[in-house]
Amino acid sequence: MKKEARILVCYNSPVSIFPVYNGKPGENSHAGIDLSEYSFVSQINQIVEILSEKFQVVESFAVNRDVTSLINKLNSFQPDAIVNFVESVEGITNYEYCVAALFELLGFEFTGNTAVTLGNCLNKLRTKAILKSYGIKTPEAITIEPDESLTKSKIKLNYPLIMKLEEEDASIGISEYSVVRNFNELKNHFDFLKKTYNKKIIVEEYIVGRELNVAVLNGKVLPISEIDFTGLPENLPKIVTYDGKWIENSTYYNHTKPVCPAKLNSRIKSKIEKVALEAYRVMNCRDYARVDIRLSKENVPYVIEVNPNPDVSSDSGFARAASATGIDYSSLLETITNLALNRKRNDSINQAI
């Protein structure tokens, strides 16, 4: 039987704002299909169809800069819960937390993480500062402004280093050129990133070791996933690039395959789960998040990023981790939606008391 609830699925239409997304000079850019945009709308349609089997009324709404239209939709539809899949607004990632803040201001309950958590986690250096204040290991890092004059004296870090856009996600701007072994390589890639993206860049110490993704659902750790780099050419760094996530049939796409559950002994597995859960809690995550960890050669887990509201499409790593613990895709979407509905019900009860 369908639950009596009005559900609004909010999402962003993919919009390209950068000339290059995969962090490589134009002559080396990908030629394959970019799955980050190619399958997005069909995934939303699939999610709406699945939720329509669980709840009485389900609609979707594409969020853009026309805030008035969003407010009018919310006020007319009066959702019991918003399924918040907004990751940017017209391609601007920084606006992700602003949409969640609007939901909060208007008093509508929504799935996933709060505006504060989304904003904090998007800023990689701020995330690191919060993690370190709680004693959670994360690689040392600095940020560089795009208009800054880069000098050797500023880079007081141990090579190799990895360079990322500080306030972007989905591996935008990350490629094999992101890992640098000396100042000349760093300077060359900095010049490219500055010219291409004109955004702050975070430079952090690169942890040589295993790449692990830890999905957390409602405060419980799901089976750990590991990226298998088998077959990746030796000259390429073992990292998750934009190509590896989104560019079908690219070298990284073909040789960065997730294995879930990861093969870990019980002691190391417990250590990783503890660190991931601590990171989830100190960043004030709720409902669902993914904690990315590099396990050093000495088996020390370093938190690389905390990803609130990660991709939960049917072929995502999060869905794979849920499936490994017996939660099918339909049940995963229902669980996430019910978390928001339960908050609304509890708020109503508290107000009535």
Side-chain angles (χ1 to χ4, degrees), residues 243-311:
D243 281 2
K245 279 187 177 179
W246 306 114
I247 307 304
E248 196 172 34
N249 293 324
S250 66
T251 300
Y252 267 102
Y253 188 88
N254 289 334
H255 300 294
T256 51
K257 298 300 183 182
V259 175
C260 186
K263 294 180 180 178
L264 299 161
N265 69 46
S266 58
R267 183 181 61 83
I268 294 174
K269 177 173 173 286
S270 296
K271 184 191 298 186
I272 293 166
E273 289 176 339
K274 181 181 178 183
V275 168
L277 202 53
E278 286 178 352
Y280 177 93
R281 288 171 176 162
V282 303
M283 296 307 300
N284 287 323
C285 295
R286 72 175 193 188
D287 291 4
Y288 67 109
R290 189 189 73 241
V291 181
D292 295 339
I293 287 175
R294 294 284 291 199
L295 186 68
S296 74
K297 290 182 177 179
E298 295 75 32
N299 290 324
V300 176
Y302 287 83
V303 175
I304 304 300
E305 289 185 26
V306 179
N307 295 279
N309 296 14
D311 178 21

Side-chain angles (χ1 to χ4, degrees), residues 157-176:
L157 300 169
N158 297 314
Y159 289 92
L161 305 172
I162 184 167
M163 306 173 70
K164 310 173 188 175
L165 303 180
E166 185 180 359
E167 295 182 335
E168 289 293 338
D169 55 11
S171 293
I172 292 172
I174 298 181
S175 72
E176 58 266 37

Side-chain angles (χ1 to χ4, degrees), residues 113 180 281 310 329:
N113 292 271
V180 296
R281 288 171 176 162
Y329 188 55

Side-chain angles (χ1 to χ4, degrees), residues 53-96:
E53 296 173 356
K54 306 290 185 179
F55 304 99
Q56 281 196 339
V57 182
V58 181
E59 292 186 12
S60 63
F61 186 82
V63 175
N64 55 28
R65 287 190 192 222
D66 185 357
V67 178
T68 301
S69 68
L70 173 59
I71 293 172
N72 289 340
K73 178 64 177 180
L74 292 169
N75 287 333
S76 62
F77 186 72
Q78 285 294 308
D80 295 303
I82 300 164
V83 176
N84 182 21
F85 290 148
V86 178
E87 297 176 344
S88 64
V89 178
E90 296 186 6
I92 301 174
T93 310
N94 268 327
Y95 291 163
E96 175 189 28

Side-chain angles (χ1 to χ4, degrees), residues 133-283:
S133 73
Y134 283 89
I136 298 172
K137 288 186 179 297
T138 183
E140 293 297 322
I142 60 169
T143 57
I144 308 172
E145 297 285 347
D147 59 352
E148 196 170 332
S149 178
L150 190 59
T151 61
K152 281 187 178 182
S153 61
K154 181 174 177 62
I155 313 301
K156 297 176 181 178
L157 300 169
N158 297 314
Y159 289 92
L161 305 172
I162 184 167
M163 306 173 70
K164 310 173 188 175
L165 303 180
E166 185 180 359
E167 295 182 335
E168 289 293 338
D169 55 11
S171 293
I172 292 172
I174 298 181
S175 72
E176 58 266 37
Y177 299 99
S178 298
V179 177
V180 296
R181 294 162 294 181
N182 53 56
F183 181 76
N184 286 339
E185 289 184 4
L186 186 147
K187 180 67 166 60
N188 289 337
H189 196 53
F190 171 72
D191 289 342
F192 166 74
L193 293 175
K194 174 175 64 174
K195 179 181 177 181
T196 306
Y197 303 103
N198 192 33
K199 284 188 163 249
K200 283 194 292 187
I201 296 159
I202 185 167
V203 181
E204 71 177 16
E205 294 182 353
Y206 173 62
I207 305 299
V208 177
R210 301 168 71 177
E211 176 97 11
L212 304 167
N213 306 132
V214 188
V216 183
L217 178 61
N218 195 24
K220 296 180 180 178
V221 176
L222 301 181
I224 299 169
S225 181
E226 178 174 9
I227 303 300
D228 181 5
F229 296 104
T230 301
L232 191 69
E234 285 298 319
N235 63 311
L236 296 180
K238 292 178 172 57
I239 59 174
V240 178
T241 64
Y242 185 89
D243 281 2
K245 279 187 177 179
W246 306 114
I247 307 304
E248 196 172 34
N249 293 324
S250 66
T251 300
Y252 267 102
Y253 188 88
N254 289 334
H255 300 294
T256 51
K257 298 300 183 182
V259 175
C260 186
K263 294 180 180 178
L264 299 161
N265 69 46
S266 58
R267 183 181 61 83
I268 294 174
K269 177 173 173 286
S270 296
K271 184 191 298 186
I272 293 166
E273 289 176 339
K274 181 181 178 183
V275 168
L277 202 53
E278 286 178 352
Y280 177 93
R281 288 171 176 162
V282 303
M283 296 307 300

Side-chain angles (χ1 to χ4, degrees), residues 37-49:
E37 297 187 6
Y38 180 74
S39 60
F40 185 77
V41 175
S42 64
Q43 290 170 355
I44 293 295
N45 291 337
Q46 179 193 25
I47 288 167
V48 170
E49 184 178 340

